[in-house]
Amino acid sequence: MSVLPIVQWPDARLSEVCAEVGQHDVSQLISDMFDTMYAANGRGLAAPQVGVMARLFVMDAGWKEGTQTPLVMINPEITPEGSEQVLEEMCLSVPDVAVPVSRPKSLCARWTDAHGAPQTARFEGAESRIIQHEFDHLEGKLHFDRVSQSTREALEAPYLKALA
Ligand code: ZN
């Protein structure tokens, strides 16, 4: 069990585009990221959130409801589709702030799994939402970046005040 420190906004690493994961072994990183995500009571965690600028994330949409469904996506490509829905999103890098984000309800994904095998699948509901949020981290984007400037400023203000 190894819980890593989580990079906190406004750390600049949260705004960087991550590099493709090559042939190196990321199994220890994945294991540590799951430990970190569960310890922080989260449903998803992307590598840049633990300071590793690589295109992978871990998630588990159902563990809080008692059904563990751990999923690892390495070098994911996603195609969101369908009508959009506004839902409040939390981020382990921006504690205690809920941001209402509009995103398509479903998506198709291609990725490499933890064993190095290529995978494709379609996702809906909570999983689709988490995948889109975590994928954004690999692109250097936060939920903040998907709302209007005025909404963003209103959400950021108390947070920045608390940091000061
Ligand atoms: Zn996040």
Side-chain angles (χ1 to χ4, degrees):
M1 174 105 182
S2 182
V3 173
L4 305 170
I6 297 176
V7 172
Q8 300 291 297
W9 181 83
D11 191 296
R13 286 172 291 180
L14 296 171
S15 301
E16 285 178 29
V17 177
C18 294
E20 292 270 316
V21 176
Q23 294 301 310
H24 46 281
D25 182 12
V26 288
S27 55
Q28 186 61 52
L29 173 63
I30 288 167
S31 171
D32 291 348
M33 283 173 64
F34 272 117
D35 290 345
T36 303
M37 181 190 79
Y38 290 127
N41 210 27
R43 295 176 194 265
L45 185 71
Q49 292 182 278
V50 293
V52 178
M53 307 312 293
R55 300 186 76 83
L56 75 96
F57 59 78
V58 302
M59 57 182 278
D60 188 333
W63 75 275
K64 291 187 188 182
E65 287 75 39
T67 310
Q68 286 219 343
T69 50
L71 187 60
V72 179
M73 289 197 174
I74 299 169
N75 298 330
E77 292 173 45
I78 64 168
T79 308
E81 58 188 25
S83 58
E84 297 212 351
Q85 181 179 35
V86 177
L87 288 174
E88 290 199 329
E89 295 182 13
M90 307 288 287
C91 182
L92 294 177
S93 292
V94 194
D96 304 323
V97 179
V99 180
V101 185
S102 180
R103 298 185 190 271
K105 286 181 184 171
S106 57
L107 61 83
C108 288
R110 281 172 182 277
W111 72 98
T112 300
D113 70 17
H115 309 289
Q119 302 285 344
T120 60
R122 190 165 182 280
F123 295 90
E124 298 182 340
E127 286 189 312
S128 169
R129 176 64 57 153
I130 295 166
I131 289 167
Q132 292 181 70
H133 177 108
E134 301 309 329
F135 183 85
D136 273 357
H137 276 299
L138 310 184
E139 295 289 303
K141 282 188 196 152
L142 291 170
H143 47 17
F144 278 156
D145 297 313
R146 292 200 174 269
V147 297
S148 71
Q149 188 62 28
S150 57
T151 301
R152 178 183 179 132
E153 283 171 7
L155 290 163
E156 282 182 356
Y159 196 84
L160 289 170
K161 204 172 173 183
L163 287 181

